Amino acid sequence: MDLGELARLMRAPAVRAFDAEVSVPDGVVSAIVDAARWTGSARNRQPWLIVRVRSGELLREISELGAYAGFVRDAPVLLVVASADDGFSDTLFDCGRLVQSLLLAAAAEGLRGCPATVFPDANVNRVAELLGLETGWLPRHLVALGHPAQRPSVRGRSAVPRGRKELAQIYRDRS
């Protein structure tokens, strides 16, 4: 894949509505996770655990535990990224890198998705309980994946800005 193709994948908008008629095969999910596991991490600790969720009831319960996670209820696949409760200040940074890798790998497989977070700590603990995670794993990140649904026509204007800031707005050279 060349840099232009990668940039196009990264420009793809987050998808929060999925086509319920198109499933995501287990092999595709495994390939996505296999690609993303090569994400770099501080001191190569790889402080993450990924749990696949497909159960409707479990999706519903998890969707209620993040302030902006309601859309995961209808995802064909939810990848829950748990971070190691290891006291390192860069653990959540590493998990954020992993989430981005999961989304890029999914896009390379023709899927789209959207990340979400779980908070506060009581909700994190509840998701850990629902998933049967061992002590020491904190499920703070969610990645919903699937094939995009047809977008309904929307009247009015979104409150969320579109596009990206210009390079000059975010980049400075002080050499």
Side-chain angles (χ1 to χ4, degrees):
M1 174 178 305
D2 69 20
L3 190 55
E5 290 173 307
L6 180 60
R8 280 187 293 283
L9 285 176
M10 292 176 70
R11 264 196 331 255
V15 169
R16 294 175 183 86
F18 303 98
D19 186 340
E21 303 298 316
V22 184
S23 65
V24 178
D26 290 341
V28 170
V29 177
S30 294
I32 290 165
V33 173
D34 190 38
R37 74 184 175 92
W38 292 96
T39 300
S41 69
R43 296 167 301 287
N44 198 30
R45 288 183 298 108
Q46 304 168 60
W48 48 65
L49 175 69
I50 303 164
V51 179
R52 183 190 72 198
V53 177
R54 288 188 187 264
S55 162
E57 181 58 26
L58 197 49
L59 287 170
R60 185 194 61 73
E61 288 188 64
I62 292 171
S63 75
E64 296 171 355
L65 296 170
Y68 304 99
F71 66 92
V72 307
R73 172 191 317 247
D74 299 318
V77 174
L78 179 65
L79 298 177
V80 178
V81 176
S83 54
D85 187 11
D86 57 13
F88 287 103
S89 59
D90 47 18
T91 293
L92 290 178
F93 177 81
D94 285 349
C95 287
R97 292 179 69 191
L98 177 71
V99 166
Q100 184 72 12
S101 294
L102 287 166
L103 288 164
L104 287 170
E109 291 286 343
L111 301 175
R112 293 291 183 263
C114 186
T117 56
V118 176
F119 61 91
D121 288 344
N123 289 354
V124 172
N125 294 334
R126 178 64 181 141
V127 174
E129 181 184 313
L130 289 169
L131 298 177
L133 296 179
E134 298 87 5
T135 301
W137 289 107
L138 303 172
R140 297 185 185 278
H141 299 88
L142 309 173
V143 180
L145 298 174
H147 294 275
Q150 292 290 81
R151 292 184 66 139
S153 60
V154 178
R155 290 195 172 131
R157 186 174 165 176
S158 172
V160 178
R162 298 184 75 72
R164 307 304 295 167
K165 290 182 178 180
E166 295 297 324
L167 183 60
Q169 292 177 280
I170 65 163
Y171 177 67
R172 295 190 174 98
D173 182 359
R174 300 286 188 229
S175 342

